[in-house]
Amino acid sequence: MATDLFTHTVQHTLDVVGIFVFAISGALAAVRRNYDVFGMAVLAEVTALGGGLFRDLVIGAVPPAAFTDFGYFSTPLVATALVFFLHPEVERINVAVNVFDAAGLGLFCVTGTVKAHTYGLGLTPSVALGLATAAGGGVLRDLLANEVPSLLRWDRDLYAVPALVGATTVALLIRFDALDGVSAGLAALVAFVLRLLALRFHWRAPRAWHRRSAAAEGE
């Protein structure tokens, strides 16, 4: 069981790190959209906590950690303050958003899968919730920013696939009793690097074979 492999302290630390990097990406996205400081805080909170909140509700970990641990709630506010005063130049914001988002994706697909398995779910449902934990906050961020979520855009570089690969790697490690801090970190790194490579080389998932669509190519 995952509970035997991760102490509460390790799990909490990984969660806070993931929350922080996702919150950075949410706050930077708000800067890119020219939101005020309140909008920055809202996007930071939603991006950082949305996926984990959904996971906790599904597995019955209630009340969700986002509402019982002040560190979880306050970390996005710290990230918002840092971005408010220290955000990069406008022309570099998009790159920064992508890097921080990829880091959060890698961390949360690991912690989400581990926590779901800890609460008694099988490996396949744990992978699904690992994916939801990693991608859910980004979907909510995009919706609040009035954008079609990257997860659903055919013309966007792979987003869910790296998280799915990372979560599946964790599930396989659990299956073969090989999950520890190092291997979990490597699984997160795989998802992170895969997402960055997808951004660098514009890797995209295929659409329907011989599709017939009236949608414009830019839509």
Side-chain angles (χ1 to χ4, degrees), residues 10-84:
V10 172
Q11 180 74 44
H12 186 270
T13 300
L14 290 174
D15 279 344
V16 170
V17 172
I19 286 170
F20 181 76
V21 294
F22 256 2
I24 289 287
S25 78
L28 285 172
V31 172
R32 185 179 58 185
R33 299 286 295 184
N34 202 30
Y35 288 3
D36 62 16
V37 65
F38 182 76
M40 291 172 62
V42 169
L43 280 195
E45 292 281 358
V46 167
T47 306
L49 302 177
L53 180 62
F54 173 78
R55 175 204 62 212
D56 287 351
L57 291 175
V58 170
I59 64 179
V62 291
F67 295 100
T68 59
D69 191 315
F70 182 71
Y72 284 7
F73 182 82
S74 61
T75 297
L77 299 180
V78 173
T80 299
L82 289 175
V83 173
F84 182 80

Side-chain angles (χ1 to χ4, degrees), residues 107-150:
L107 284 168
F108 272 20
C109 72
V110 170
T111 60
T113 304
V114 169
K115 187 168 184 178
H117 188 260
T118 297
Y119 273 76
L121 269 65
L123 293 180
T124 299
S126 295
V127 169
L129 281 185
L131 172 59
T133 305
V139 170
L140 292 174
R141 177 199 64 213
D142 291 344
L143 290 174
L144 288 177
N146 198 29
E147 298 177 357
V148 176
S150 298

